[in-house]
Amino acid sequence: LMGFGCNVPAMMATRTLDNKKDRILTMLITPFMSCSARLPVYVLFISAFFPKNQGLILFSIYFIGVALAVGVALIMKRLMFAKQDVPFVMELPPYRIPTLKSTIKHMWYKGAQYLNKMGTVILIASIIIWGLGYYPRNVQFSANFDQQISSIQANKLLNGKEKENQISKINLIKESERQEKSYIGQMGHAVEPVIRPLGFDWKIGVSIVTGLAAKEIVISTMGVLYQADPKSNESKGSLKEKLQQQRYTSGEKKGALVFSPLVAFAFMLFVLIYAPCIAAVAALKKESSWKWAIFTVVYTTAIAWVVAFLTFQIGSLFV
């Protein structure tokens, strides 16, 4: 249940379990609980592609996560953690009304402990993701964007607001092309053949890769790649509108829409299931070992691919 807020403290809380196998099994299925960092992804895609029954779609995502956790736990318990069940017995200390001083003291201690263990990991991962998206700097653009900006600035027929809007659009196009040719963009193109059977393109691949640092980064990455205006909300130019209008620019699907309700649902399932964030992986390693941390990254991503593949391929037969 704690995992619905954040998987990291949920994994740390498994210390209350006496049996080591129970602790590891619980940590292995905790990533299936949809943490709050994934919620912005669901809200964006549900509002963009599911105008009706939005609550039902969101509930189905959470329900699928719980169902997968139960199913995987039952399978692992039989194959990897077979043992005779023992009753859970926990000795409780005498109950006392907590004082304000002790409460603040414990909050400060646990908060500092969390930041000390996970803050450094998140910071390092964020720097790596930033570096991959920022370099190389000597990118060959398809057009001279700086000259276009200079021409707009020199155009006396445009007022200040019009110049600002046009320059903003050119900068978004330039940044999108730079991201595509950056190291992380190259990674997105590299994984595209693997995710193409799921209905995903290279931009979705980049978002998935950056989501390894923290799931909420998926949205900010898409904002850059799809040239969404950060100042726009529900109006033209917002990320929601860009996702609805995005089309393939090459290949056999050229001209077709990238996203459909089916692709959006498959993508939300993939985000739900695939590898937990860096902080959760670090917590899993801290509470168990690198072996289980790596195993969790691999097996959750594999299940995510299979679920998204089946959702897209079977759904395509009825659409």
Side-chain angles (χ1 to χ4, degrees):
L1 290 176
M2 290 178 65
F4 286 112
C6 180
N7 291 164
V8 174
M11 290 179 178
M12 294 172 69
T14 58
R15 297 174 184 176
T16 57
L17 300 174
D18 291 329
N19 188 282
K20 183 179 178 181
K21 291 184 178 179
D22 287 340
R23 285 201 303 273
I24 295 175
L25 178 58
T26 305
M27 285 188 284
L28 291 181
I29 64 171
T30 297
F32 291 119
M33 303 300 108
S34 194
C35 66
S36 57
R38 297 180 175 103
L39 188 58
V41 180
Y42 305 153
V43 171
L44 173 65
F45 278 85
I46 290 175
S47 63
F49 300 102
F50 300 95
K52 298 181 180 179
N53 301 318
Q54 294 183 350
L56 183 61
I57 297 296
L58 183 60
F59 173 78
S60 67
I61 297 292
Y62 278 80
F63 178 80
I64 290 171
V66 175
L68 275 172
V70 173
V72 170
L74 290 173
I75 293 173
M76 285 188 174
K77 198 168 185 179
R78 287 178 175 272
L79 298 179
M80 301 168 60
F81 299 97
K83 65 177 183 64
Q84 186 176 6
D85 290 333
V86 295
F88 175 66
V89 179
M90 181 177 179
E91 184 178 351
L92 297 175
Y95 286 104
R96 294 184 176 89
I97 298 176
T99 62
L100 180 61
K101 180 181 178 180
S102 63
T103 301
I104 294 175
K105 183 178 179 181
H106 282 290
M107 287 173 59
W108 178 265
Y109 173 73
K110 294 298 182 183
Q113 186 182 42
Y114 174 83
L115 291 175
N116 183 48
K117 288 183 178 180
M118 304 308 159
T120 52
V121 175
I122 295 173
L123 177 62
I124 293 171
S126 299
I127 292 173
I128 292 173
I129 294 296
W130 171 83
L132 291 173
Y134 190 77
Y135 293 101
R137 300 305 295 168
N138 56 340
V139 173
Q140 295 295 324
F141 293 104
S142 59
N144 192 335
F145 296 110
D146 293 332
Q147 184 179 4
Q148 293 178 16
I149 292 174
S150 298
S151 299
I152 293 172
Q153 291 173 337
N155 193 335
K156 298 181 180 179
L157 298 177
L158 300 175
N159 58 41
K161 186 66 176 178
E162 291 173 335
K163 288 182 180 180
E164 183 182 345
N165 290 336
Q166 292 191 21
I167 290 174
S168 177
K169 290 179 181 178
I170 292 175
N171 283 328
L172 285 170
I173 295 172
K174 180 181 178 180
E175 179 63 16
S176 176
E177 187 172 333
R178 192 192 66 77
Q179 282 279 359
E180 180 178 0
K181 295 179 179 180
S182 68
Y183 292 128
I184 203 165
Q186 295 172 27
M187 292 171 64
H189 281 289
V191 301
E192 187 177 15
V194 179
I195 61 177
R196 192 179 295 124
L198 315 181
F200 303 164
D201 67 347
W202 72 269
K203 293 182 180 180
I204 300 177
V206 172
S207 301
I208 290 172
V209 172
T210 58
L212 292 173
K215 293 298 185 286
E216 56 267 37
I217 298 179
V218 170
I219 299 297
S220 58
T221 302
M222 285 187 164
V224 173
L225 295 176
Y226 293 114
Q227 305 166 28
D229 188 350
K231 299 178 181 178
S232 179
N233 187 16
E234 292 298 325
S235 59
K236 187 176 181 181
S238 66
L239 179 55
K240 174 182 172 181
E241 187 122 351
K242 291 292 185 179
L243 291 174
Q244 294 169 336
Q245 298 173 354
Q246 193 69 202
R247 295 180 181 274
Y248 288 98
T249 57
S250 61
E252 57 183 18
K253 293 184 178 181
K254 184 177 181 179
L257 289 171
V258 174
F259 288 99
S260 65
L262 180 60
V263 173
F265 191 73
F267 178 69
M268 287 190 290
L269 289 178
F270 194 94
V271 171
L272 162 71
I273 304 168
Y274 90 111
C277 66
I278 295 294
V281 174
L284 183 54
K285 180 264 176 186
K286 181 71 176 179
E287 301 299 324
S288 57
S289 64
W290 273 118
K291 180 185 72 172
W292 291 115
I294 295 172
F295 172 75
T296 301
V297 171
V298 173
Y299 101 86
T300 53
T301 304
I303 293 177
W305 191 94
V306 172
V307 171
F309 175 81
L310 293 175
T311 300
F312 178 72
Q313 295 296 335
I314 295 176
S316 298
L317 300 176
F318 300 95
V319 176

